[in-house]
Amino acid sequence: MSSTHSTIEQHPDLAEMRSRFEKATSSPRGQAVEALAFLTGVYLAASPWIAGFSGITALATTNLILGIAYALCMGGLSSAYERTHAMAWCAMAIGAFTIISPWIVTGNVDTTRTVWNNVVCGAVALLLGAAMAATGDRGGALRSRFGGGAAA
C-alpha cells in the first residue's frame, strides 16, 4: 500500500497567497515601498557620518548595524511571501529599536542631533515596514471572512 503525502508548499491557499503577494509587490506602490525602505536602511547606516555624530561611537555602530540589517530585510532578499512578510515585521522591530536607541545605548548619546535623526529615521522605517507587511494581504482577509472568491 502506498500513500502520498502532500506538503504545505503544494497547498492551493499558499499558492494563491504567494501569487497575490507577488502581484502586490510588483505593483508601482509595492516597488516604491521597497525602494524607499532600502534607501532608509542605507541612510540609517550612514547617518552618523551624514548627521555628524560619528564621534559617538556606540550609537554610530548601532546605527550602522541597524541600517545594514534594515536594508537587507527590506531590500528584496526574500523571494517567498512567508519570508518577506516575516522580514517586514523584523523591519518594524528595527524601526522601533532605532527610535529608542539614543536612550538605551551605553553612554551619553541622547543629544538633540542623535534623537532627531533616530526618531525620524526610525519612524519612517517603522511605517515602511508596516506598509510592506500590509501589502501582501490587501483585501485577502475580508474576502476570506465574508466568503468571497478571488478578485476579478
Side-chain angles (χ1 to χ4, degrees):
M1 180 163 106
S2 72
S3 65
T4 59
H5 297 283
S6 64
T7 62
I8 190 69
E9 288 84 17
Q10 297 168 343
H11 194 277
D13 289 341
L14 184 61
E16 189 268 332
M17 187 171 40
R18 282 182 176 160
S19 172
R20 189 174 63 230
F21 188 75
E22 180 63 32
K23 194 181 302 179
T25 56
S26 64
S27 71
R29 178 182 177 260
Q31 291 173 349
V33 169
E34 188 173 343
L36 289 172
F38 179 75
L39 291 174
T40 299
V42 170
Y43 173 79
L44 179 58
S47 67
W49 295 274
I50 295 171
F53 60 89
S54 59
I56 304 172
T57 309
L59 190 60
T61 304
T62 300
N63 280 14
L64 178 63
I65 293 168
L66 291 174
I68 291 169
Y70 189 83
L72 291 175
C73 280
M74 297 295 283
L77 287 182
S78 359
S79 58
Y81 167 74
E82 58 276 359
R83 282 181 269 159
T84 303
H85 192 70
M87 290 299 184
W89 286 101
C90 179
M92 290 172 58
I94 291 171
F97 186 80
T98 300
I99 293 170
I100 63 170
S101 63
W103 295 284
I104 62 173
V105 169
T106 304
N108 186 18
V109 298
D110 59 340
T111 66
T112 302
R113 186 175 293 184
T114 61
V115 169
W116 272 104
N117 181 77
N118 278 35
V119 168
V120 171
C121 191
V124 169
L126 186 69
L127 291 173
L128 289 170
M132 185 58 81
T135 298
D137 194 36
R138 287 189 69 159
L142 288 175
R143 280 193 304 275
S144 65
R145 181 175 293 150
F146 295 110

